[in-house]
Amino acid sequence: MNTRYNYLIFLLTAILIASCGSEKTENTDTEITTNEVITISKSQFESSGMELGKPVKMNFTESIRANGNVVAAPSGMAQISSLLAGKIKRIAVNVGDQVSKGQILCTIESTEFIRLQQDFAEATGMLKASRAEFERQKLLAGDNIASQKIFLNAESDYKSLLAKVEGQKAILLLLGQNIEKVSQGAIQSDLNLFAPIAGYVANLQAETGAFAEPQKIIMELVDLNQLQLKLSVFEREMTGLKPGLKINFYSPNNTDEIFIGQVVAFSRAIDPETKAITVIGSIQQSEKAKLISGMYLEAEIFTGEREVMALPDEAILKSGETRLVIVRTSNDANEMKFITKEVQTGSNSNGFTEILNPEGLDNVLIKGGFNLVME
């Protein structure tokens, strides 16, 4: 066991600290050995503002660390593409524009669209004649005037044409067309694409004059009112996770602005590659306007509280992987003796560190310990 009488060094250190005004010394790593004895005078202890204390009971908030993105709910996202091929005649919006549901987003010139309308109008007219012939042959067959074969052929022709018309009608309805007008021969050359949801144009991947291929994305819409959190939580940290828990989240680029959310749901399967589960969280409505879809964030999910014994962070000294405190062992008339003692630490909260072995720590130097061991 080494004994160090560092009066002179301690006095010089105290003078340097006093000259630095309000600057705070951080308990960074330094080489300290366990059971190291330090002796100082009482006047040194008092003049340097040192304080003694002991571990106190505190309620530490338990939390889970997570990261992820701000995303729109499935019903709050829309990818806009054309069902038919054609040339983009006009784009009516730009990135960042707010759009309402049903608003025209772009117009496509499509010969395929023209042919579809023509075929539907012609087939609709033919269907009336086919239905009439089918009904006539049905009556004749019932009176044994016409052969059953002729009736069956008429029935087959009618049903085949009916299926064709209904199929064309379904496509035209998907394209937002007025079936009654098309059936009467009102043919349009321009195919308008409409906004299926209200929101903002998040992405635009085409320009006027470009060829629009079926199913190729032209633009994307996002409803900011339906933004939510999509977080990843590792398997080892998911204990206590449940719907309703509070979430604090922030952008790593601006850690001072904290947003508040709540756990809504989480997946019941662990990703075999990341060893994590997906957690979906809600966002307060008033804060959604400050966020962007796709924004990366870090989060803390609060799972509850537990009672611990803790010391101020300043009382904990770091020496590599070892954590130590300075404990007073004697208090004579003119001098005070201290010894360094290794401690096992747990979590941290609001400037305090959990002590897992608090026994025998009744007189811990909770202020000024770092400067005392520096040489």
Side-chain angles (χ1 to χ4, degrees):
M1 184 181 299
N2 296 324
T3 303
R4 298 188 303 170
Y5 294 90
N6 50 355
Y7 299 110
L8 180 59
I9 294 174
F10 180 81
L11 287 174
L12 290 173
T13 303
I15 293 171
L16 287 173
I17 294 171
S19 67
C20 291
S22 61
E23 291 185 7
K24 184 177 179 180
T25 305
E26 185 180 354
N27 290 8
T28 54
D29 283 345
T30 186
E31 292 186 7
I32 311 169
T33 58
T34 307
N35 297 326
E36 189 172 353
V37 176
I38 304 170
T39 304
I40 63 171
S41 67
K42 277 194 172 183
S43 60
Q44 291 170 339
F45 178 86
E46 294 170 355
S47 63
S48 299
M50 295 183 181
E51 292 182 16
L52 294 174
K54 63 180 180 179
V56 294
K57 287 184 179 180
M58 298 186 68
N59 287 325
F60 269 26
T61 300
E62 295 288 286
S63 63
I64 299 171
R65 293 287 180 178
N67 57 65
N69 299 88
V70 175
V71 300
S75 59
M77 296 185 294
Q79 294 181 333
I80 309 303
S81 60
S82 176
L83 292 175
L84 303 176
K87 185 176 72 173
I88 298 177
K89 180 179 180 180
R90 182 175 71 97
I91 296 177
V93 295
N94 205 344
V95 173
D97 286 353
Q98 185 174 6
V99 299
S100 56
K101 184 176 181 179
Q103 178 178 332
I104 294 177
L105 301 176
C106 69
T107 302
I108 296 175
E109 292 179 323
S110 172
T111 55
E112 187 178 348
F113 178 49
I114 295 173
R115 284 195 298 270
L116 175 62
Q117 295 173 90
Q118 288 176 330
D119 291 345
F120 176 73
E122 292 173 0
T124 300
M126 294 171 60
L127 183 63
K128 294 178 181 179
S130 180
R131 182 188 295 114
E133 178 63 15
F134 165 66
E135 295 294 342
R136 190 177 75 86
Q137 292 297 332
K138 184 177 180 181
L139 290 173
L140 293 175
D143 294 337
N144 294 320
I145 298 175
S147 68
Q148 191 71 18
K149 181 179 180 181
I150 295 175
F151 165 68
L152 291 175
N153 286 336
E155 181 183 33
S156 176
D157 291 343
Y158 167 67
K159 290 184 176 180
S160 176
L161 190 56
L162 177 63
K164 180 180 179 180
V165 169
E166 289 299 320
Q168 293 170 334
K169 178 181 177 180
I171 296 174
L172 289 170
L173 287 173
L174 286 175
L175 297 173
Q177 301 307 301
N178 187 312
I179 298 301
E180 187 65 28
K181 289 184 178 181
V182 176
S183 64
Q184 294 174 2
I187 307 299
Q188 301 181 58
S189 61
D190 292 344
L191 172 62
N192 292 320
L193 302 186
F194 302 92
I197 63 171
Y200 289 83
V201 180
N203 191 14
L204 187 58
Q205 302 181 23
E207 58 277 336
T208 301
F211 185 76
E213 299 178 6
Q215 309 307 319
K216 184 177 180 180
I217 297 173
I218 297 174
M219 66 183 72
E220 295 177 321
L221 305 181
V222 172
D223 183 359
L224 297 185
N225 291 320
Q226 297 194 53
L227 291 181
Q228 61 183 15
L229 303 176
K230 185 178 181 181
L231 306 173
S232 292
V233 173
F234 289 112
E235 176 184 3
R236 63 179 180 272
E237 297 179 346
M238 58 183 289
T239 303
L241 190 62
K242 61 182 179 180
L245 296 178
K246 179 184 176 183
I247 304 173
N248 281 1
F249 63 97
Y250 56 88
S251 166
N253 298 322
N254 185 12
T255 57
D256 293 331
E257 187 170 18
I258 305 296
F259 300 97
I260 298 175
Q262 189 178 65
V263 175
V264 175
F266 55 91
S267 62
R268 303 293 175 170
I270 297 173
D271 188 303
E273 294 184 2
T274 63
K275 303 299 181 184
I277 63 170
T278 298
V279 176
I280 301 299
S282 63
I283 302 172
Q284 289 187 350
Q285 193 66 31
S286 60
E287 297 180 335
K288 290 181 179 180
K290 304 176 185 178
L291 304 172
I292 301 173
S293 179
M295 173 181 176
Y296 176 78
L297 53 88
E298 295 179 357
E300 189 173 10
I301 304 172
F302 299 99
T303 57
E305 290 186 344
R306 63 186 178 90
E307 190 177 81
V308 302
M309 300 299 292
L311 284 170
D313 291 344
E314 188 178 353
I316 312 300
L317 304 178
K318 302 176 183 179
S319 180
E321 297 298 321
T322 304
R323 299 294 179 264
L324 304 105
V325 293
I326 300 176
V327 182
R328 190 186 69 183
T329 57
S330 67
N331 186 19
D332 297 334
N334 297 318
E335 66 178 20
M336 303 174 71
K337 288 188 177 182
F338 296 86
I339 189 172
T340 56
K341 183 176 181 179
E342 183 177 351
V343 291
Q344 303 300 318
T345 59
S347 56
N348 302 82
S349 178
N350 297 322
F352 282 81
T353 298
E354 178 185 5
I355 304 299
L356 302 177
N357 55 336
E359 299 81 9
L361 301 181
D362 292 334
N363 290 287
V364 176
L365 194 60
I366 61 173
K367 188 174 181 180
F370 179 75
N371 297 312
L372 183 60
V373 299
M374 290 294 293
E375 291 187 342

